[in-house]
Amino acid sequence: MNPISGPSRAMKVAGYLAMLLVLAIIALPLYWVIVTSFKTPDMVYIQPPAWWPDPVTADPYSRVVEQVPFLRYFANSLIITGALVSAKLVLGILSAYAFVYLRFPGRGVVFMLVLAALMVPNQITVISNYALISQLGWINTFQGIIFPLAGVAFGTFLMRNHFLTLPFEIIEAARMDGCGHMKLLLRVLLPMSWPTVVAFALITIVNEWNEYLWPFLVASDETVAPLQVGLARLISTDAYIDWPMVMAATILTITPILIVFLLLQRHMIKGLTSGAVKG
C-alpha cells in the first residue's frame, strides 16, 4: 500500500472535519429537543442555557397525553398517511406499468407531463386546490386532506425506471406462458421489485407523515388534524408556551417514523439505486 502523501492526508483530515461539522449541525438541534423534553418548565428560561436537565423529569410526556388530544392527532396521522401511502403505491405501480408495457398514442407526451409535475412545488397549487376543496364542501374532512396530496409523479418515475431494468426475456417468457397484464404485474414484476417498492413506500411514508401546510389549511379542529398541525397549535394558541411539553410531543411525533426508517433503510438504498443506470 502506498503511504499517504501530504495532499492526500490533508484531504482526509478535511473530509473528517467536514463530516464532524455536518454531524454536529444535524445532531445538536436533536440533542436540544431531547434534553429539553426532560426539563422542568422553569429550566428552559435560565441563563446560561442548561445543557443537561437537573432534575430529570418525564412529566412533559405525561402532560402531552393529559392536556393535548395527542392520541387523536396520532390516529389522524395514521389514517391520512395510511390512505396516502396505499393510494400512491397503487397509482404509482399501475401507471409505471402502463408507461413501460402498454402501447398507446401520446405515451411520451403523457410521461413528459408526469416529469414536469415533479418540477412544480406543491405550494403553487395550494390556492386552486383550496378553492376546489371548499366548493366540494370538503374543508375539515379526511378526503379534503387526502385527495389533493394523492398525486404520484415521483413514484411513477421511480417504478418506471426500475421496470425498464428488468430482464426482457423473463417478461416475454411469462407472456408466452399465458400471463395477462394483471398476472404479469402481480406474479412476475412485483416479486422482482420489492426493494424499489419498499423505497417508494418509505419515502412516501416520511413525506406524508411530515406534511404540514395542506393539512394546516384544511383541518379546522382536532377531529381531522394530524400530529404536525397539533404541534403547531401547541405553540400558537397560548401566550405561555410549555416548551418541555412541546419538545416531548415532538419526540413522540418523530419516533414512529424513525423506527420505520431504521427497519427499512437497507431496502431503501438498494431500491433507489436499482433503477439508477437506465432512464
Side-chain angles (χ1 to χ4, degrees):
M1 182 180 294
N2 294 328
I4 299 176
S5 62
S8 297
R9 187 185 298 276
M11 285 300 298
K12 188 175 181 179
V13 172
Y16 280 126
L17 289 176
M19 183 179 64
L20 291 175
L21 178 61
V22 170
L23 182 63
I25 292 173
I26 295 173
L28 185 59
L30 291 176
Y31 172 78
W32 190 251
V33 169
I34 295 172
V35 168
T36 305
S37 72
F38 289 101
K39 291 179 177 178
T40 55
D42 56 333
M43 280 199 68
V44 176
Y45 298 100
I46 63 174
Q47 293 292 336
W51 289 91
W52 185 256
D54 185 18
V56 177
T57 176
D59 287 347
Y61 290 87
S62 301
R63 294 200 296 275
V64 169
V65 180
E66 295 170 356
Q67 301 179 15
V68 179
F70 182 83
L71 296 180
R72 181 67 191 182
Y73 291 138
F74 187 83
N76 294 340
S77 284
L78 287 179
I79 293 171
I80 294 169
T81 303
L84 283 170
V85 170
S86 301
K88 288 192 171 187
L89 281 176
V90 172
L91 293 175
I93 291 172
L94 290 179
S95 57
Y97 179 91
F99 280 122
V100 176
Y101 299 107
L102 301 183
R103 298 290 180 267
F104 54 89
R107 185 178 62 164
V109 175
V110 175
F111 183 66
M112 290 304 297
L113 290 175
V114 172
L115 288 183
L118 284 172
M119 312 302 165
V120 180
N122 291 335
Q123 291 80 1
I124 289 179
T125 60
V126 162
I127 295 176
S128 59
N129 283 340
Y130 189 86
L132 176 60
I133 293 301
S134 180
Q135 288 181 351
L136 292 173
W138 286 0
I139 296 297
N140 204 34
T141 63
F142 283 118
Q143 64 266 32
I145 296 176
I146 292 170
F147 272 84
L149 296 177
V152 65
F154 171 75
T156 301
F157 175 74
L158 180 68
M159 294 304 304
R160 171 191 173 273
N161 276 15
H162 171 73
F163 285 158
L164 287 173
T165 66
L166 298 179
F168 184 73
E169 294 79 7
I170 296 178
I171 311 300
E172 281 302 300
R175 285 173 171 165
M176 292 177 67
D177 286 341
C179 278
H181 288 298
M182 190 56 66
K183 187 179 291 186
L184 177 65
L185 176 63
L186 297 178
R187 297 190 178 184
V188 179
L189 298 180
L190 286 183
M192 295 190 294
S193 308
W194 285 124
T196 306
V197 174
V198 171
F200 177 20
L202 183 55
I203 293 171
T204 305
I205 290 171
V206 173
N207 286 341
E208 305 310 330
W209 186 268
N210 294 324
E211 179 68 32
Y212 169 71
L213 178 60
W214 180 250
F216 175 75
L217 294 174
V218 176
S220 305
D221 54 43
E222 67 273 12
T223 56
V224 297
L227 282 168
Q228 313 303 331
V229 178
L231 282 177
R233 288 175 178 170
L234 282 179
I235 299 174
S236 61
T237 57
D238 201 335
Y240 168 74
I241 301 175
D242 187 345
W243 284 111
M245 185 175 72
V246 173
M247 297 306 170
T250 303
I251 295 297
L252 294 176
T253 299
I254 65 177
T255 298
I257 213 67
L258 284 177
I259 294 173
V260 173
F261 178 79
L262 291 175
L263 291 176
L264 301 178
Q265 53 92 17
R266 283 193 308 168
H267 299 287
M268 178 179 174
I269 296 171
K270 185 177 179 181
L272 288 177
T273 56
S274 67
V277 297
K278 191 169 184 177

